[in-house]
Amino acid sequence: VIVTTTVEKLREQITTAKRSGKSVGFVPTMGALHEGHLSLTKLSKNECDLTVVSIFVNPTQFGPNEDFSKYPRTIEQDSSMLESVGTDILFLPDKETMYPTGAATFVTVDGVTDYFEGEVRPGHFKGVSTVVASLFNIVIPDIAYFGQKDAQQVAVIKKMVKDLHFPLRIVIGETIREADGLAMSSRNRYLSSDERQKSLTLSKTLSLVQDLIVKGKSFEEALLEGKRFFAKTGEITLEYLDLVDSETFARAASFKEAESITALIAAKVGTTRLIDNVVITKP
Ligand code: PAF
């Protein structure tokens, strides 16, 4: 893998590839890579001629009391993982490269960011859409890959790409889970073994809600039972459990209101916030 730190150098490499007719796949990340990121990189390798992965822990998407400074930075390990799946270019910009002195331009996506992560983490999506728009302008990929694990982020990016006419396609990779169901996340490494065990309640609750809905229970009943189950398994704090239209992220009370429904969950396990989701199709 070629490591590139400047916009100029990266543009040179990408222009050369495009001139020889190569398609470009892009996987933006914040590092602390796991199988989820690698699966996106593999999708890009299968579909595109040149695969670019970026690692940048984006300060603007962290709130003042969030984990920016302790966010895991594991660059050595990340680059060998990227190497093992045949990544062509690792873009590793520093803060001054992504946010030149005095940078004052932001991208905000309204509506879809109103609730859930947008509500619990004010400013988070503004940071995400701004850095992703900037990365898209630097890389100009044919296809950009994101994980379903961050379902609301997916909805935000899709909306931004549509509204601002970014000339690229978004491909979503499925959530990759540990054998016991825990959704892979860079933040899982904060969990003690006891917390790791307790965090299984998130995926179990989502499975329960999904089963109930597939069996024909109303959304209201399914959520109620889900919350009851969560509270019983306990010792972790539920922030939200809800059912939304997968595209608009508006709360949905039945399948009549949406083509595809996403069940969302967020909880605090000790000091670690975890999120998970599952897409439910009309039975
Ligand atoms: O999903 C992430 O890792 C980040 O939110 C992203 C898309 C790389 C933007 O910083």
Side-chain angles (χ1 to χ4, degrees):
V1 58
I2 300 171
V3 180
T4 304
T5 57
T6 67
V7 174
E8 294 70 27
K9 190 81 203 153
L10 185 70
R11 285 218 165 115
E12 225 176 87
Q13 291 159 336
I14 290 175
T15 308
T16 308
K18 284 194 170 176
R19 274 210 192 106
S20 55
K22 290 186 175 168
S23 57
V24 177
F26 177 45
V27 186
T29 82
M30 298 207 299
L33 302 181
H34 50 68
E35 281 304 320
H37 299 109
L38 294 190
S39 72
L40 297 177
T41 310
K42 287 179 198 161
L43 285 178
S44 171
K45 283 295 289 179
N46 283 338
E47 291 177 309
C48 302
D49 302 314
L50 186 86
T51 292
V52 180
V53 176
S54 65
I55 297 182
F56 177 63
V57 186
N58 174 34
T60 64
Q61 70 186 76
F62 291 81
N65 300 316
E66 293 186 13
D67 55 345
F68 174 68
S69 54
K70 77 163 195 178
Y71 198 82
R73 287 152 172 95
T74 55
I75 192 63
E76 296 291 312
Q77 202 188 330
D78 291 349
S79 22
S80 42
M81 285 168 85
L82 291 174
E83 178 90 47
S84 76
V85 292
T87 310
D88 298 294
I89 300 175
L90 166 57
F91 181 46
L92 209 56
D94 61 14
K95 184 167 175 265
E96 285 63 41
T97 301
M98 290 311 296
Y99 295 101
T101 310
T105 308
F106 293 90
V107 177
T108 55
V109 181
D110 289 342
V112 67
T113 57
D114 285 351
Y115 301 107
F116 309 108
E117 291 308 284
E119 193 173 8
V120 181
R121 306 181 67 189
H124 168 66
F125 285 123
K126 181 178 169 187
V128 170
S129 41
T130 300
V131 82
V132 171
S134 181
L135 287 166
F136 282 174
N137 282 329
I138 294 168
V139 178
I140 318 186
D142 295 282
I143 308 182
Y145 297 84
F146 293 85
Q148 173 60 29
K149 158 77 174 29
D150 294 305
Q152 195 169 9
Q153 170 169 282
V154 164
V156 171
I157 303 293
K158 279 185 170 170
K159 186 88 178 92
M160 178 186 82
V161 164
K162 185 165 180 258
D163 290 354
L164 296 185
H165 305 278
F166 277 97
L168 52 90
R169 193 154 65 82
I170 298 292
V171 168
I172 307 307
E174 65 178 73
T175 301
I176 306 296
R177 296 180 182 280
E178 305 285 355
D180 57 11
L182 179 67
M184 290 204 188
S185 161
S186 304
R187 291 187 167 95
N188 289 352
R189 44 188 105 196
Y190 297 151
L191 302 169
S192 67
S193 61
D194 180 47
E195 290 170 342
R196 166 76 184 66
Q197 199 51 37
K198 287 175 180 155
S199 64
L200 294 179
T201 307
L202 278 85
S203 54
K204 284 185 185 161
T205 304
L206 287 175
S207 297
L208 173 67
V209 170
Q210 181 177 32
D211 280 356
L212 292 170
I213 288 176
V214 170
K215 282 185 189 134
K217 289 250 183 181
S218 73
F219 283 17
E220 200 186 342
E221 282 172 303
L223 286 177
L224 221 82
E225 280 207 39
K227 283 176 188 166
R228 228 178 275 138
F229 171 80
F230 189 98
K232 212 172 49 201
T233 332
E235 287 185 78
I236 64 179
T237 317
L238 183 66
E239 281 186 355
Y240 58 77
L241 172 67
D242 228 318
L243 292 157
V244 298
D245 178 320
S246 307
E247 202 182 314
T248 63
F249 262 67
R251 281 191 180 83
S254 74
F255 272 113
K256 267 186 234 121
E257 294 165 40
E259 295 270 303
S260 159
I261 296 290
T262 304
L264 301 172
I265 194 164
K268 253 186 143 176
V269 186
T271 54
T272 306
R273 267 196 94 235
L274 296 177
I275 58 172
D276 197 357
N277 70 89
V278 61
V279 177
I280 308 174
T281 45
K282 210 170 186 156

